[in-house]
Structures are given as C-alpha cells and as structure tokens.
Amino acid sequence: MALEAAGITDAEETAYRLLVTRDSASAQEVAEHSGLSQEDAAAALAALAAKAMASPSDGRPPRYRAHPPDVALLPQLKHRADALDLARSAATDLLESYRAAARRRDAGLLIEVITGAEALRQRLRQIQDRARDEMLWFCKAQYVAMPSGSNTAEFDALARGVRYRVLYERDFFDDEGAVGNIAAAVRKGELARAVPHLPLRLAVADRSVAIFPLVPGGPHGSPDEPSTALVRDSSLLDALIALFERYWEDAVPLHVTASGTVTGTSGVGPADPLSATDRRLLSLLVAGVADKAIATQMNLSRRTLQRRVHHMMELAGATTRTQLAWQAARRGWL
C-alpha cells in the first residue's frame, strides 16, 4: 500500500481512505464498505486514533472522523525521514568501523594503487565530495592530473564548511593562470601559504585518507601514466600529516589585495620582520614581565603594547602568547 512508508498498515490505510470520504463512520460501517472484518476494522480505527490520524466520538459504538491528511501524515513522514537519516548515518559509521577493522587485519587494504590521470582526478573529486571537516594540500608546479583552476570540487566543499589549508611551492605561481586561480580560492575561504619547495604532491581528507604519488610525475618526472597511492589510517598517514604540519608552520601566508594581487608568493618571509622595539618588547614578554611593567619601562601605552604583541602573533601564526614565545625561539627572533 502507498502509506507503508509512514508506518501505516494495509488495514489502517483501507480504513483511513474510507474515513476521508465520509463525515464519520463506525467500525461496522468501515467493515461493510471495505472488505475488512468488523474486528479488523475496529482494530484499524483504534490504531488510527492512537496515531492521531482519526478521532472517535463519545458515543457507543464510537464513530470515527478522519484528520486532514496534511496534519495526519506529514509529521509521520518527517519523523520517518529523520529516523532514516539517523539510521543511514549509523550505517555509514558502522561501515567505516568495519573497514578500519578489516584494514588492521589485512595490511594490503591500507594502501590502494591508482593508475592513470583520469582515475586520479576521479579519486581527488571523490575524497573532496566526502570530506566533512578539512582538506590538506601540497601543490607543486606543473600539474600531473588536475590543472590549476579545474578543481571545482574545492569550491563546493568550501561552501559546505570544509576548511582548506593549501601549501604552494614557489614555482607553482609560474604556471599559467595560477595566481588568479589562487586569488579566487582565497576569496572563497581557502587558507593558503607558500614555501620555496615542496617534497611531493599530497592531498589529505579529514586526516583519514591521503593521496600521494608513488613516482615523480609532471614534465620533469616519469613519462608514464601517473601511479599514486591512496593510504588510509596508518602510521604512514600520520607521518604524511606531520610532514604537512611541519611545512605549514614555516610557510608564508598568502594574502589577496583589493586589486587581486597575491602577496607572499616567494615563499620566503622578510629576513627581519621585527623592529628593535618589537624585539625588546618580546624579550621582556618571554622573561615573564607583566604588561604594565613593560609599558612603563618602554614608555608605551597599554594599547600600543597590545597592538605590537598582536602584530607579532600574526607574523608567527600564533594564537596565544605561549605559542608566540615558542615560535619566536624557533625563528630566531630572540
């Protein structure tokens, strides 16, 4: 029957269809006009009342009046749809758990070899379409399978709220149209940085799956069809993510000006980004001197001091003063 998806039995649907054509009806009348036994008709009407699809009168025997279908059925269908979505999500999680357990039992399932540019493009689109939280990318010059500007799946994922952190090597900006494509991506929300050189091409989705080449590709690599590896949860995946994070720390943020120019494409930050005043302030800050004492000693207002500290945190990519101190030590600012 048509209403089975709403949790309505055949007998209940038969009784309800009869009720909507009448002002009201008793169990005996439903039985007479539907082919149901009087006992089945009474049970069906009671079930419709319990599901808020019909109301009985106070008389004996009761007469039942149908509720409007939009009031009676749409909430039922929505509840069923919500339950189905929850079940689908649970099934997906169970499938991932099953696959993870299978990969632990069979190491051969951890790595999948992908051969050919078209197969690689399909997999890159697929992992982006499935991404929920974050994509990490190493973008080297001279594409192998996906030309600059052709990755429309990124814009779709950004619109869904997926965060993109992308590292470009310096030579990438020499590719035709690369700067304009990066500017468009940054405006859409991509977090982009540059470094002088990247060791390999890499894409990581939700820290659970990564794609990287097995042999160098591009004009200066192997002339054969590209062979890439798709690797899932493993120590190798952890190492690839750690490699990305290490390069990300030292990379130079890319910014897009109002005119569309991308700054920072050299991948090299200024040799000495701090002024003498900033260096002195930073040394006092790292020594644990309170802001008020620093401001007095350096003859700065509290607002100026905080503005300078915030500027140094931006340069270091730090979100806390503790991170600023650590980054300052790494970068030789002290």
Side-chain angles (χ1 to χ4, degrees):
M1 299 291 277
L3 299 183
E4 182 180 359
I8 311 302
T9 68
D10 290 354
E12 292 163 6
E13 181 174 347
T14 298
Y16 183 73
R17 287 181 176 276
L18 182 65
L19 288 182
V20 298
T21 65
R22 294 168 174 261
D23 180 62
S24 65
S26 65
Q28 181 178 349
E29 291 171 345
V30 170
E32 290 174 352
H33 293 86
S34 66
L36 297 172
S37 69
Q38 186 165 341
E39 182 180 352
D40 288 343
L45 290 170
L48 292 175
K51 294 175 179 178
M53 296 179 65
S55 297
S57 67
D58 293 332
R60 288 291 179 269
R63 298 184 65 81
Y64 289 81
R65 185 188 301 271
H67 292 170
D70 57 338
V71 175
L73 292 173
L74 293 185
Q76 299 266 9
L77 291 171
K78 183 180 185 305
H79 177 74
R80 289 274 171 159
D82 291 343
L84 183 60
D85 287 340
L86 287 174
R88 185 180 294 112
S89 177
T92 300
D93 292 341
L94 286 170
L95 179 58
E96 283 302 313
S97 297
Y98 173 82
R99 288 173 174 170
R103 288 193 291 268
R104 286 192 293 271
R105 293 191 298 268
D106 184 356
L109 297 176
L110 289 173
I111 298 178
E112 174 186 348
V113 177
I114 303 167
T115 303
E118 179 57 31
L120 175 57
R121 282 191 291 270
Q122 290 178 1
R123 279 310 183 96
L124 287 171
R125 285 193 293 266
Q126 185 181 68
I127 67 170
Q128 290 178 93
D129 290 342
R130 293 178 178 177
R132 298 179 181 179
D133 301 312
E134 184 180 51
M135 289 293 305
L136 310 177
W137 286 83
F138 274 175
C139 287
K140 289 178 66 66
Q142 299 169 330
Y143 72 90
V144 171
M146 191 172 286
S148 177
S150 66
N151 187 18
T152 57
E154 175 180 352
F155 290 166
D156 295 337
L158 285 168
R160 296 197 310 273
V162 177
R163 185 170 73 148
Y164 271 68
R165 288 197 288 152
V166 184
L167 275 169
Y168 298 93
E169 69 176 8
R170 182 167 48 206
D171 289 347
F172 183 91
F173 302 101
D174 294 333
D175 288 355
E176 184 178 356
V179 173
N181 293 326
I182 293 169
V186 170
R187 288 195 181 103
K188 293 287 187 179
E190 176 184 292
L191 302 175
R193 295 187 180 184
V195 293
H197 176 73
L198 287 171
L200 76 166
R201 305 175 196 275
L202 175 68
V204 181
D206 291 337
R207 298 176 178 261
S208 62
V209 61
I211 292 180
F212 63 96
L214 292 173
V215 294
H220 302 301
S222 170
D224 298 327
E225 281 283 280
S227 294
T228 51
L230 186 148
V231 59
R232 298 177 177 86
D233 294 326
S234 62
S235 296
L236 175 57
L237 177 61
D238 293 341
L240 291 170
I241 294 172
L243 179 68
F244 176 91
E245 297 293 358
R246 181 64 184 83
Y247 271 79
W248 182 262
E249 286 180 1
D250 292 335
V252 177
L254 298 181
H255 300 287
V256 179
T257 65
S259 62
T261 302
V262 179
T263 62
T265 56
S266 67
V268 180
D272 190 358
L274 301 185
S275 66
T277 300
D278 287 336
R279 285 183 177 278
R280 185 183 173 199
L281 188 162
L282 182 60
S283 64
L284 292 171
L285 193 69
V286 172
V289 180
D291 284 7
K292 183 177 181 180
I294 295 175
T296 301
Q297 185 173 335
M298 297 186 64
N299 195 26
L300 298 173
S301 69
R302 292 287 294 277
R303 179 173 295 180
T304 299
L305 184 149
Q306 290 172 0
R307 186 175 67 250
R308 285 181 174 272
V309 171
H310 182 68
H311 173 66
M312 288 188 286
M313 289 174 66
E314 285 187 333
L315 289 175
T319 57
T320 66
R321 292 190 177 192
T322 299
Q323 290 179 2
L324 172 60
W326 185 77
Q327 287 288 351
R330 287 186 66 252
R331 296 166 187 257
W333 290 355
L334 296 173

